[in-house]
Amino acid sequence: MALNAPTASSGKRRREQSDDGPTRHNGNGNNGHVEPSTGPLLPNRSSSHPSKRQRIDLAEQRSGEGQRGADPLPQPLPATNEPSTIRSTAGRMTVFRAREVPLRDQVSIRVIVTDMIRKNMSDSEKTSTRFVVKDITQSAIKCSPSRTGKRGTALVIFRGLVPEPFMAVMKSSEDSDVFANNSEDEEELSIDLDTKFIGATQLYEPQLDVEIVADIVAIHGLNGHPYGSWLSRSANPKMWLKDFLHEDANSCRIIIYGYKSNIFDEQEQPRHELFSQAERLNATLNNIRNTPESQRRPVIFLAHSYGGLVLARTLVEARTRGSPLLEATKALFLFACPSRGFYAQDILNTMSAELEAAGKDPISDDKAAALVRRLGEGNFRNELASYPDVVSNKKVYSFVETRKTETVTRQSGHVRRDGVPVMAAGSNSVILGLPSATEEVIHADKDHSNIVKFASRSDPTYEDVKCRIQAIVASLTEQRDQVSIPLR
């Protein structure tokens, strides 16, 4: 039995179990900038061991994915900022994921979710709150002769202030909260609501009469967000994977993958060993590709920064186990994925600033440096030594940032990104050094974060992505036409 969500005055909320909740940690460190080496990604056994602060390789640059107050839907923050939010001249935008929505015949999911959202608002909130509901339910369910008893999924996008019951979801340490329709006169209905987007979220699926040619799977980076990392910072923010990629790849499923990537959980809940992250990604892909036919369906991966390392380990493991995922993988779009180094000092500065803002004691300098070193150096060179060989028969597109990224500062109690610009992950770090027939290097006029944010279809980097995806899909379609493959 679902319990009512909290309202501004009263109510209860039932929450699902979570592995752990976000906590804030801190640390200081000296210069963590690395001058990356050249050549393909292989163990470097001849070089001297890096100093404690000066060589922290292969981790994720903090600015790219989790910029507070800019990217939407990051993990909860100290009271100075609100999570799940992006600000623009069009106002603040906050995005929730609604799952397990009970569907009914002749009633759209928009009506069901809108009604449930409004019933959890106060009268004043109903008049002052603006939001829209986007249906992302699977096509097979949408087109079912009878939808009663089935479950759907939607996005709930607030513009401006978020009502109090939903602010509680944003600040919650749980993976999701259960909201009910809060009415004694109607059948009790409930939905799962969250802002974390953990696991797989399908943003688009072709209609039933269109054969699915490939799955496009997008993986965010460290301290990033599965939805927000791909959302533009324009006056009218666009999430290109949802808003217009399907127009250019309408025979592909488009899926975002989310994992707990917040570095600030690391002191008490270490989980950024690549093997563990790869295992979780592999399990999620098995969940959504759970038939022999779907496991053979081609996959096109999009990965940003540290997400590219998670993907690399997943594919290495797939070859070791003889998983069909490796054969199904046809192309990798790697956006500023730091295979050989990154600017690590910014992570340490951000940890320090946010813990200070939360009024908490910093962790020691040694622990802070060890934390980032584990994320950076670890055993990545050994773990990923076979990666170039694993992808030698794939098509790899390495996107290189050419603009510097502003570093973190703290002013008047606020954590800001307006410090001295640095090159977070330059070409020597990002390029794998594979033969040109395998790897195409594409320089983007963007910084580390914006390299995966496109405000329109005319964005030059989006055009680079679109044209290559279309070429891959055209080739796969031609191959498919020569072999009989089920639609789904």
Side-chain angles (χ1 to χ4, degrees), residues 240 245 302 333 335 397-400 440-446 451 454 456-472:
W240 60 280
L245 178 60
L302 315 177
F333 288 73
F335 299 91
Y397 302 97
S398 295
F399 286 78
V400 182
E440 179 183 0
V441 177
I442 303 167
H443 290 81
D445 186 24
K446 293 177 180 288
I451 199 169
F454 311 134
S456 74
R457 296 174 69 196
S458 62
D459 183 292
T461 306
Y462 175 74
E463 290 186 346
D464 289 335
V465 174
K466 174 196 71 176
C467 291
R468 284 154 183 79
I469 288 180
Q470 288 179 331
I472 294 166

Side-chain angles (χ1 to χ4, degrees), residues 31-39 44 47-51 53-59 338-345 377 381 404 421-431:
N31 191 352
H33 181 255
V34 176
E35 203 58 50
S37 60
T38 58
N44 186 352
S47 61
S48 61
H49 191 276
S51 66
R53 300 289 190 272
Q54 293 178 332
R55 186 164 295 276
I56 301 176
D57 291 338
L58 299 171
S339 61
R340 279 181 301 279
F342 81 115
Y343 184 79
Q345 180 64 36
E377 291 178 348
R381 291 192 182 276
K404 294 182 177 181
V422 298
M423 190 63 72
S427 58
N428 287 342
S429 175
V430 169
I431 299 172

Side-chain angles (χ1 to χ4, degrees), residues 13 15 21-24 74-84 94 96 162-175 177 194-196:
R13 179 170 66 249
R15 291 173 178 164
T23 54
R24 298 281 168 249
Q75 289 71 24
L77 293 175
T80 52
N81 285 337
E82 296 173 357
S84 305
T94 310
F96 290 77
V162 176
E164 179 58 34
F166 307 101
M167 284 292 296
V169 176
M170 295 163 61
K171 298 174 182 177
S172 172
S173 63
E174 307 294 342
D175 280 353
D177 287 41
D194 77 283
T195 59
K196 297 179 176 65

Side-chain angles (χ1 to χ4, degrees), residues 99-169:
R99 294 177 294 170
E100 296 297 313
V101 180
L103 302 179
R104 291 176 288 181
D105 293 339
Q106 310 303 319
V107 182
S108 73
I109 192 173
R110 295 181 182 88
V111 171
I112 296 171
V113 175
T114 298
D115 182 64
M116 196 169 295
I117 295 294
R118 289 183 60 80
K119 284 180 177 177
N120 281 278
M121 294 182 187
S122 66
D123 290 340
S124 61
E125 288 171 337
K126 290 177 182 177
T127 59
S128 61
T129 302
R130 295 184 300 142
F131 70 94
V132 295
V133 177
K134 304 283 188 180
D135 185 2
I136 55 172
T137 303
Q138 293 180 4
S139 296
I141 296 177
K142 286 182 185 179
C143 302
S144 175
S146 176
R147 301 194 304 168
T148 299
K150 296 180 172 63
R151 301 278 172 168
T153 306
L155 300 177
V156 182
I157 304 172
F158 287 92
R159 288 282 191 174
L161 296 178
V162 176
E164 179 58 34
F166 307 101
M167 284 292 296
V169 176

Side-chain angles (χ1 to χ4, degrees), residues 34-292:
V34 176
E35 203 58 50
S37 60
T38 58
L41 177 61
L42 293 170
N44 186 352
R45 307 183 192 280
S46 61
S47 61
S48 61
H49 191 276
S51 66
K52 185 174 183 179
R53 300 289 190 272
Q54 293 178 332
R55 186 164 295 276
I56 301 176
D57 291 338
L58 299 171
E60 173 58 270
Q61 196 281 88
R62 169 64 176 86
S63 71
E65 289 88 5
Q67 183 173 348
R68 306 304 187 183
D71 282 359
L73 308 173
Q75 289 71 24
L77 293 175
T80 52
N81 285 337
E82 296 173 357
S84 305
T85 299
I86 182 169
R87 295 178 183 273
S88 71
T89 56
R92 185 169 52 185
M93 187 175 91
T94 310
V95 185
F96 290 77
R97 177 177 61 174
R99 294 177 294 170
E100 296 297 313
V101 180
L103 302 179
R104 291 176 288 181
D105 293 339
Q106 310 303 319
V107 182
S108 73
I109 192 173
R110 295 181 182 88
V111 171
I112 296 171
V113 175
T114 298
D115 182 64
M116 196 169 295
I117 295 294
R118 289 183 60 80
K119 284 180 177 177
N120 281 278
M121 294 182 187
S122 66
D123 290 340
S124 61
E125 288 171 337
K126 290 177 182 177
T127 59
S128 61
T129 302
R130 295 184 300 142
F131 70 94
V132 295
V133 177
K134 304 283 188 180
D135 185 2
I136 55 172
T137 303
Q138 293 180 4
S139 296
I141 296 177
K142 286 182 185 179
C143 302
S144 175
S146 176
R147 301 194 304 168
T148 299
K150 296 180 172 63
R151 301 278 172 168
T153 306
L155 300 177
V156 182
I157 304 172
F158 287 92
R159 288 282 191 174
L161 296 178
V162 176
E164 179 58 34
F166 307 101
M167 284 292 296
V169 176
M170 295 163 61
K171 298 174 182 177
S172 172
S173 63
E174 307 294 342
D175 280 353
S176 65
D177 287 41
V178 177
F179 274 70
N181 56 356
N182 229 357
S183 174
E184 297 179 357
D185 302 327
E186 300 177 8
E187 175 188 1
E188 186 178 82
L189 302 175
S190 65
I191 60 175
D192 289 359
L193 204 64
D194 77 283
T195 59
K196 297 179 176 65
F197 287 68
I198 299 299
T201 304
Q202 181 177 279
L203 299 178
Y204 174 78
E205 183 180 42
Q207 296 299 314
L208 289 179
D209 59 349
V210 177
E211 184 168 348
I212 300 176
V213 175
D215 289 341
I216 297 175
V217 180
I219 309 166
H220 64 92
L222 196 65
N223 277 353
H225 188 274
Y227 190 95
S229 289
W230 312 91
L231 183 66
S232 73
R233 297 184 180 127
S234 51
N236 182 24
K238 294 293 184 181
M239 202 289 198
W240 60 280
L241 295 170
K242 177 182 71 70
D243 291 331
F244 46 85
L245 178 60
H246 68 275
E247 298 176 7
D248 298 311
N250 63 2
S251 60
C252 298
R253 288 202 304 173
I254 301 174
I255 298 160
I256 53 175
Y257 170 71
Y259 59 99
K260 295 181 179 180
S261 66
N262 190 359
I263 191 175
F264 302 104
D265 295 338
E266 278 299 301
Q267 186 183 22
E268 296 177 4
Q269 301 290 344
R271 56 169 170 259
H272 284 296
E273 289 77 8
L274 271 185
F275 177 76
S276 298
Q277 296 286 18
E279 289 285 271
R280 186 63 256 163
L281 172 58
N282 182 66
T284 300
L285 292 172
N286 287 338
N287 292 342
I288 62 175
R289 295 162 55 88
N290 56 8
T291 66

